[in-house]
Structure formats: structure tokens, C-alpha cells
Amino acid sequence: MEVISLNTKIERSETTITKLRAHIKDGTCPKTLRYNVRANITPDEQFKKEIGSIRKTAKHEFIRSLAKFHQRRIEHLQSKCTKVEQELSREKTETNAFQTRKSRTPSAPRDENIHMSTDVLQLASNIQAKIDKFTQLLSKIDDSKNKQSESYPSVLYASKGEREKGTKRNTLTVRNHKRRARKKNLQQRTSRETIELRKQHIKNLSDTQLTAEQISLLSRGLKFIPTPVMKENQIRRQLLSDFNQFARRMRLQYIYHDQNTEQHPFHVKSSWIPPIQRSVALETYLEEVKIKLAETPLVKPKNNLPPGEQRALKELINNKEIILKKADKGTTTVVMNRENKINEGQIQLDDRNNYQQLDKPIVRDTFQRVKHLINTLRQAGCIDEMTAKWFNQTPDPPRIPVFYTLTKIHKPTLVGRPIISGCDGPTERLSSFVDKLLQPIAQIQESYLKDTTHFIRFIESIRVPRNAFLVSMDVTSLYTNIPQEEGITIVCNAYENFHAQKPPIATKFLREMLSLILKENSFQFNGKNYLQTHGTAMGTKMAVAFANIFMASIEKEILRRSVNKPLTWKRFIDDVFCLWDTNKEEIEHFVEQANSYHPTIKFTAEVSQLETTFLDTTVYKGERFEKESILDVRTHYKPTETFQYTNYNSCHPAGVKKGFVKGEALRLLRTNSSKVMFEENIKNFRTRLTSRGYPNNLVDKIISEVKFAERKNALTQTQKARKRILPFVTQFHPSLPCLKNTFQS
């Protein structure tokens, strides 16, 4: 029996050596022998190559060492087997001698050891037969030249499963059933918890009961892009069409490379196609790239929506009883009954002080007045030929603007913020032109704040008295409460003061433009036509600059009339931040006086000695205030914010996702003056990203870059140098591989 055991071990070791040698020959490695190491750093490409080389060498050396080990084991077992066979041979000799003596002495008593020796001989004969059989089997294995890569455990324990049949198999079956039952219960519990978490991203104000699949789909966000369905020939056709545009730009760059590259502010794209150039290098490059693009292999992308959510998407599209919109503040998805959404907008449009219902659309008449004004400006020499061409790009007939609302879910009573989408409308380009004229005037105002970064730089550059009050003020519905005629007059006066010498266009033309934009702002809602008679529309391009100039005039008069004035007064459109070195009663009296100055412009105020909220920051008296009398800032989130970031599985280009992560991380760096607060916010940000499907290694790599960046550099807005590059722009599709190497090779 010992010989059988030894030969079985020899058989296993020889089989193992055969398989290991096959792995060495094929350059593969069993799963359990693979060497893997992860450094606690962000590796570069050179480090990855070096680690890969080390890993490959380690795998091969380990397999060779293991093969040598099994070879030594075989030699040891063979020597041991030889000793056993020698003992068996000696025992056989002694048995034969004993039988000879027994034949000579027939009267000798019968010994039981004789039978034992006979059994041993029979066993040895069987062993020899099995050894011969195993030898033949090993020769067949060696001659088969099996190149298939197998896992190491299957090499060593190929017959283990056969030996463990019977009781163990039944036991394992029972265990597997229990394990599967526990797994199913865990999945169900996890599914319920996941649904409750996903509901946080959705505000269902409708009568429709959303299914689990619909909740899961909507929690991905309204910006989620499902995998597009396109045929391979369509993708290649689009790719080559985009390349033709790239080749056109390359040839234009070759022709006009030595000319002034400064672009006209109202540039109109030319449709001229340059011929093939004499440059052999250029044309050879374009031809080779085109061939490579035509031969680019495409991969079939995996659908980023499971079947249940695909059905849910069709159901929501076909459901005409509900409307899906994002909330006014934050990223929450609001689900409302169509009827309720229409009533939300109709309540505002029924206000006859601000809106007037029309019998028919007037966009055609407005468009004709705009064309007449443009011709007048061209004849008067106020605009050049290129600007006139740019104005004429407006579609004829123009698109009728559309009115819609964004629900303010943070209000006790649900109301909507009115927005008018004027894309391709009769006054869209006129509004862009006026915005170009008004922006410099708005930016020179003493209280002007460009953005949050501008505010942080200001607040961290001043010293604040010990007992100062922090006050944030807000104008109620500024855009819709600006009187049109008064606003036009204020803006025109500011325009004349700014251009005291030679204005770009005459003031009368500016007034006419403003009148067309404000007083002929017509739109459609629910199949009806309306005209805005008061205020300016949120959605028109010049509204921000117009409101800034108007508020600058109002605040100057308020501050001039006030006996008690704030230490600082800074404003971002309708949000005001100020510091007061007085008591709270005088501040409240100032707010009352400000509200009594203008009939439609009303303020709300938040007063505190410790902290206040302004824009997306919380300004507070922290550690720096105790030492240097400088206020600290930290990131502020609205109570309705649900952090519905762009889902990683969305069919967006990878650069968009990376850019968002880096941009948000830099924002956290800017809006947190304390290192501790920044670390806390960046940790929470990382958790939210991973919950939206972002890989840990991608998030850690980008965040580590921001962590080691200097905050003062993030707060400094430097003008980037323009790179002389021509980008290849094409429609993104997940089937396309990275084309960078195609253009750089």
C-alpha cells in the first residue's frame, strides 16, 4: 500500500511539472501564482512599466522554482519507492526459501505468516501493473503538448473532487442552499435600502406612484445619457465627415498662418473650402490619418441601463400625465402632474401687472423691426459688414420663445421661477450685442462682484472690527420687478457717462435696442401667446448686465440717503454682503429705509455677529479672526441639495467626468479657508462620487492633485495662454476608441 501512495504522489508531481513547463513555454501564469503589488502612490507610466517587468519576471522565476521543487520531490519519492521495492524483493526471497524448507518438512505446522507473504506478493504485482499504467499515461501527457492555461489548484488537486464524493457533496449542497438564501435576503434588504437612498434625489409631487426601476432611473439625474444606438456605417460616416472639417481647418491654417489670428467678436463662419495644398508633408499626413480613421476598429458598447430601467425610460417618455424638471435650487429631480405644472405657470401669467395675453404671435413683426434697426446701424456706420452678417444669421421666420418654470421646493408654498427660453428668437442676437456694450459698464461699478472667487479674494483682504455684524441681503424677484422704462433710462445714462468721448453707437440706438428686447418680449405657454409688460426676462443674454447697472444706481441712492452706512458693501446681481460696526437696531432701520426707497425693489436681510451665508459660502469668525481679524469662509450647500452628480455610467466623454471632479475639488479648495474644513468637505465629496459609480483610483488621483495645490494659486485668476492647436472635434460615441495616437503618430 505504501508503494501505491508513493507512486500516486510521483504521478501528481510529474503532472504538475508538465503543466508548469507548459506555462513557462506559453508565457502564462496560473491565477494563484500571479504576483501583484500596489504601491501607496499615484504611479506614472515609467513606474507602471517597471512594476510590470518585475511582476512578469517574478511570475516566471516562481514557476521555475516550483518546477524544480517538484523535480526534487519526485527524486525523493523515487528513492523511497526503490527502498520499498527492495524490501519487497527481500521479503519475496525469504518467502521462497521458507516454502522450499516447508516442502522438505511436510509435517511442519502451518504458519499464518506464509499467507501474509503471499498477499504481499500479490500486492506488489498489482503495484507494478499500476506503475506501468501511470508511466504510459505520463508519456501521453508529455506528448500532447497542451498549451491551455489552467489554474494551479486544478493541476495539483485534479482528482480531489472525485475523492470527496458522497457525504461531503451532500453537505456542500446544503451549505450552498443556505448561502444562496442568505445572499438573496441580503440583496432584497440592500435593494430596499438603495431605493430609499435614491428617493432622496427625487421630489415626487405627482399622483403617479413611481416603480423601483423608475426611481433608480431618475436617481441617475436628468443629465444621464443612455448608450446611443447607431450602426457602424453611421459612426464611420460621421467620423469621416468631422475629419473633412478638420482637414479644412488645417489647410486654412497653412494658408493664413502668418496673418493676424485675432477673431472678430461677432465672427461669421466661412463656408469656403480651400483646395489641396502644395505641402507634401501636410497632404501626406491628412491622407494617412484619413486611412487610419477609416480602418479604426469599433467595439460594441455595453448598454449602461439594465433591462428594467430601459423599460422604465420608455414608460416615463410615454407618460404624458407628468412633467420632469430639475428644481430651482440644487440638483433634485422634480416630478409633477402636467396639470399642476401648467397651473404653476398660469398663476404667474395671470398677473396683469407683469404679463399681457396676445391674440396672435408678434415675433414676425418684432423680427422686421430688428432687421430695420440693423440696416439703420449699418448705414450709419455703427456696425461693420461682419457684424451685419452675424445679425442676419437669425432664422427666418424666427422661433417663438417658450415660457417655463423651475419649482422652488425650498419654499413653504410651491412656486416656480419664471424663465423664457429665447433661443433663435427675434431678439436673441440683439441681446448678445447689447450685452457686449453693457458688460464693461457693469464691471466698473464699485460694488460689483464677478463670482465667488472674486468675493473670497475681497473678504480675505480686509480686516474686520471685533464687534462687527455680518449682513447678507437679497432682492426679492429682481428681474421681474425692474420697471422697463426706468431701467432703460438708468442704463442709457450710465452708457453716456462711461462713453463720454466717443460711444460705439449713439445712445438713441441703444435705447431703441433695449426697447425692442424688453417691450417686445413675447412668448408662448400652453398654446397661448403672452407679452411681458414689466421687468426683464430671465433667459435673455443682456439681463445680467442690465440688472447690475440698474441696482448700482438704486444702491447709490439708498447709501447716499442713509445716515448710518455700512463699512463694506458688495453685490452679486441681487445678493448683497455688507459689514456693520454698529448695533442691530440701526441695521434693521437701514433695511426698512431701503425697502421704502423704491416701490418694487424690496430687500430681505440676515444679520449675525458670528456667521452669514453669501452665494455658495458661509462667512464666519474663525481662528484667523482671533489672530488677524480676517474672516474665514467654508463651503455652503442649500438644504435642498441632493448631490445628484453626473453618473459615471452616463455616456459622457471621459474628459467631461474628469473635468467635473477636478473643477468641484478646486471649488472646495477655494471656498474653504480652513485646512480642516477642506479635508472634511473633500472626504464627503469623495464618498458622494463613489456612490455615483466613480472608480476609487480615478477619484484619488484627481483629488491628490488638488490636495497638494496651493490655495492662493486657485484664487488667482490668470489668463491662459492660447495654444496654437487645431483640435479634432467629433461626435462622441462609446464605440470609438481613443483617437489621440491616430493623430499623433
Side-chain angles (χ1 to χ4, degrees), residues 683-743:
K683 182 181 178 181
N684 295 333
F685 177 56
R686 186 189 183 281
T687 304
R688 298 181 194 117
L689 285 175
T690 53
S691 68
R692 302 294 288 175
Y694 285 77
N696 291 329
N697 56 352
L698 174 66
V699 175
D700 292 339
K701 182 181 179 181
I702 299 175
I703 287 178
S704 62
E705 295 176 2
V706 176
K707 277 187 175 182
F708 292 104
E710 292 288 338
R711 183 170 179 265
K712 62 180 181 180
N713 295 334
L715 289 171
T716 304
Q717 295 181 338
T718 57
Q719 185 128 13
K720 293 183 180 179
R722 291 187 63 182
K723 297 181 180 179
R724 293 181 62 86
I725 60 172
L726 287 176
F728 173 67
V729 182
T730 186
Q731 182 178 344
F732 172 75
H733 197 280
S735 298
L736 289 172
C738 182
L739 302 175
K740 183 178 180 181
N741 294 333
T742 303
F743 285 84

Side-chain angles (χ1 to χ4, degrees), residues 57 88 158 353 468-470 475 511 539 564 587 621 664:
T57 305
L88 289 174
N353 295 323
F469 281 88
L470 314 179
V475 181
R511 181 180 291 275
N564 298 314
I587 299 172
K621 297 178 180 179
E664 184 65 12

Side-chain angles (χ1 to χ4, degrees), residues 1 6 59 64 129 142 158 172 287 356 395 434 450 522 621 648 658 668 678:
M1 296 301 291
L6 292 173
K59 290 176 182 178
R64 290 191 182 96
D142 292 334
L172 289 174
E287 188 64 26
Q356 175 188 344
V434 171
K450 183 180 179 181
S522 63
K621 297 178 180 179
Y648 188 76
K658 293 178 182 178
L668 294 176
F678 169 69

Side-chain angles (χ1 to χ4, degrees), residues 179-192:
R179 178 174 56 81
R180 290 168 186 166
R182 288 196 301 270
K183 186 178 179 180
K184 186 177 180 180
N185 293 333
L186 180 62
Q187 288 176 346
Q188 291 176 351
R189 187 166 65 253
T190 306
S191 178
R192 289 193 295 268

Side-chain angles (χ1 to χ4, degrees), residues 420 422 427-428 431-432 517-518 521 536-544:
I420 299 174
T427 61
E428 182 196 12
S431 182
S432 298
I517 297 169
L518 296 174
N521 182 27
T536 180
M538 286 185 66
T540 187
K541 189 69 180 290
M542 68 94 194
V544 175

Side-chain angles (χ1 to χ4, degrees), residues 4 7-8 11 129-139:
I4 295 175
N7 280 282
T8 303
E11 177 195 358
K130 289 185 178 182
I131 290 173
D132 296 338
K133 185 179 179 181
F134 291 148
T135 305
Q136 294 176 3
L137 181 62
L138 289 176
S139 64

